[in-house]
Amino acid sequence: MAKQGLTLEQKQTQRLALEQQRMLGLVLEKNDAEMAEFIDNKVSEIQALEKKSDDDNDDYGNNDSHDNNKGGGDDAASATDINTDGDEDTAAWYRYFANNRSRDDEYHTPTAVSEKTLQEFLAEQLGELELDETQMLIARAIVGNLEDDGYLRRSVTEIADDVTFNDGYMVDAPQVEQMLKVIQTLDPPGIAARDLRECMLLQLKRKPASEDVNIAIMIVEKYFDELVSMRFDTMARKTGIDASRLEDVFKRQIRRGLNPYPGNAYGTRSYITQQVTPDFDVELDEDTGRLTVTLRNNIPTLQISESYALMNERYKKASDLSVKENKEKKQIQDAYQRASMFIEVLKQRQETLFNTMSSIVKCQQDYFLSGDERDLKPLGQQQIADMIGKDVSVVSRAVNNKYVQLPWGIKSLKSFFSEDINGASRHEVYDDLKQLVENEDKAHPLSDDALCERLKAMGYQLERRTVAKYRKALDIPSSTIRRRMAK
């Protein structure tokens, strides 16, 4: 009889383990909005499960078994040794909440990926300025020509011609240049720059004056080529400033303090606004260089109801039960086990999500410091799976439909992954592809075959169909359409 009981117990344990594994995969795929509805259904389905209210006490007496199965407890902090400067003493700190929610948590309402386009945001600011009709026409023409990253890549002469021929106002390049200076004072800082150097200077000159800021402005203005090449020794000889001081100014004032793509936080003109609730926040402390990852808590804390916990304890100690009592005991224990399993699954979900995001930040640390997509490295989901000790399918579910709030906007977790293309990431290929199209002869635009050959010459071994796929992903029209647009 004991053998039969042991066999039944083993089968039940295996069943619960398989159900827990299946449930974990299910909840990992869901975002917070989907989890809220899923949890409500589970609370209705499992009688022993309930949401914890702020008025509930943390303890139900001396019931250790019950305490161990609460979906709550104190917030836990976890330190992850991610070092932004190569010094173990300055390891970045990461924290997540071991419970689902505490009474002190701030509830994060759904946030729009972009509530308005960059053009709409700038138009609102222009409306607050005292501009005459001609100035407003020029300003709108400039804003209309801004690209999604916030840069102006058309010349002031071309824009002057547009206003003259399209709107019937005689406008020259100096007038456009004058209005461009006005737009460059608007938010976000760095907007309407014509190249990276100008973008950096626009942002630096709006910072509070300090000796470090003055040094940063000086090296960007006068030694930009050396700065791009990170030749601090050369700059030190030319400026008389110690190389270590120049490198420190670069890290604090430029790499961590500037956004190379000021328009990226806003939606594109063809972008349909999507309401999402970010699952994570990543923040940078400019003084210490530490990155902090926070897993938000937007799902309720669950617990086993006091009545079921007490009944479960009573039946565990009872003997010589009647047939009716044995049936009730089985129902109570089954509900208790299912509730305990679901609470444990939620904790595993939070831990897996946190570990996944932390590992992504470790691998893409340069990007989280700079905000420059060119700093994104080739990264596969298997690499993250190896780091957190999980199957790649777990990582795939963990990043699905999840978002992170960054200082410069909201990004999908999937956007941090890309295949390795001859040692480069897809983001780098995208950047080079855009540059090829921007610099082509507009009267004779490059075909996909020609773009493929140019990219191969740059070291990317790509097929024509892959180049065509990347071009479409960047919303770049075909060469035929680009030729017609040029005419």
Side-chain angles (χ1 to χ4, degrees), residues 90-101:
T90 59
W93 283 85
Y94 292 79
R95 61 189 177 89
Y96 73 99
F97 298 104
N99 65 338
N100 300 320
R101 193 165 179 80

Side-chain angles (χ1 to χ4, degrees), residues 49-69:
L49 196 62
E50 67 180 17
K51 294 181 182 180
K52 184 179 179 182
S53 68
D54 290 345
D55 296 331
D56 289 335
N57 293 325
D58 288 338
D59 296 308
Y60 290 126
N62 296 320
N63 189 339
D64 294 336
S65 176
H66 176 57
D67 289 344
N68 290 336
N69 285 288

Side-chain angles (χ1 to χ4, degrees), residues 428 432-433 435-436 451-460:
E428 291 178 90
D432 285 333
L433 178 56
Q435 290 296 323
L436 286 174
L451 288 170
C452 186
E453 291 303 316
R454 299 284 181 95
L455 288 169
K456 283 182 179 179
M458 298 169 73
Y460 302 119

Side-chain angles (χ1 to χ4, degrees), residues 279-471:
D279 303 87
F280 305 92
D281 293 282
V282 175
E283 298 172 307
L284 171 65
D285 186 325
E286 293 188 14
D287 294 329
T288 64
R290 290 184 176 184
L291 290 165
T292 302
V293 173
T294 305
L295 172 60
R296 293 185 175 187
N297 286 307
N298 292 324
I299 56 179
T301 299
L302 301 181
Q303 64 186 17
I304 297 175
S305 70
E306 183 177 6
S307 60
Y308 269 83
L310 293 173
M311 285 190 290
N312 185 65
E313 284 301 302
R314 186 170 70 248
Y315 276 124
K316 282 169 63 176
K317 298 172 183 178
S319 59
D320 299 326
L321 298 175
S322 66
V323 174
K324 181 180 179 181
E325 287 173 330
N326 270 316
K327 184 178 179 180
E328 187 180 52
K329 173 184 177 181
K330 185 178 182 306
Q331 292 174 339
I332 294 294
Q333 289 181 332
D334 182 63
Y336 185 90
Q337 287 175 336
R338 291 181 67 200
S340 300
M341 183 268 289
F342 188 66
I343 289 171
E344 179 60 29
V345 164
L346 290 185
K347 289 183 178 180
Q348 290 180 18
R349 174 187 186 268
Q350 301 299 80
E351 291 171 3
T352 302
L353 289 177
F354 171 76
N355 292 335
T356 299
M357 187 71 239
S358 298
S359 298
I360 291 173
V361 173
K362 279 185 180 180
C363 294
Q364 303 289 15
Q365 179 179 308
D366 289 344
Y367 168 76
F368 286 98
L369 289 171
S370 70
D372 188 342
E373 292 195 355
R374 290 173 297 182
D375 287 333
L376 286 169
K377 297 179 174 62
L379 179 64
Q381 293 183 2
Q382 184 62 58
Q383 187 175 341
I384 300 298
D386 293 339
M387 292 175 70
I388 68 175
K390 300 286 185 182
D391 188 80
V392 68
S393 63
V394 173
V395 175
S396 178
R397 292 187 178 99
V399 302
N400 182 53
N401 203 19
K402 306 296 190 309
Y403 296 84
V404 58
Q405 176 72 63
L406 302 171
W408 46 86
I410 298 174
K411 282 187 71 73
S412 164
L413 264 60
K414 284 187 175 180
S415 67
F416 299 115
F417 296 93
S418 65
E419 67 268 26
D420 188 325
I421 304 171
N422 309 119
S425 73
R426 187 172 60 212
H427 301 281
E428 291 178 90
V429 181
Y430 278 6
D431 192 58
D432 285 333
L433 178 56
K434 284 194 293 185
Q435 290 296 323
L436 286 174
V437 173
E438 286 169 5
N439 297 327
E440 69 186 358
D441 181 354
K442 303 305 179 187
H444 302 91
L446 298 170
S447 65
D448 288 340
D449 284 322
L451 288 170
C452 186
E453 291 303 316
R454 299 284 181 95
L455 288 169
K456 283 182 179 179
M458 298 169 73
Y460 302 119
Q461 296 305 311
L462 299 170
E463 298 296 328
R464 178 194 173 281
R465 63 178 179 272
T466 304
V467 173
K469 182 179 75 172
Y470 287 176
R471 174 180 58 73

Side-chain angles (χ1 to χ4, degrees), residues 442 476-487:
K442 303 305 179 187
I476 297 174
S478 68
S479 57
T480 303
I481 295 175
R482 298 203 305 277
R483 186 180 298 109
R484 290 173 184 170
M485 292 169 62
K487 290 181 180 178

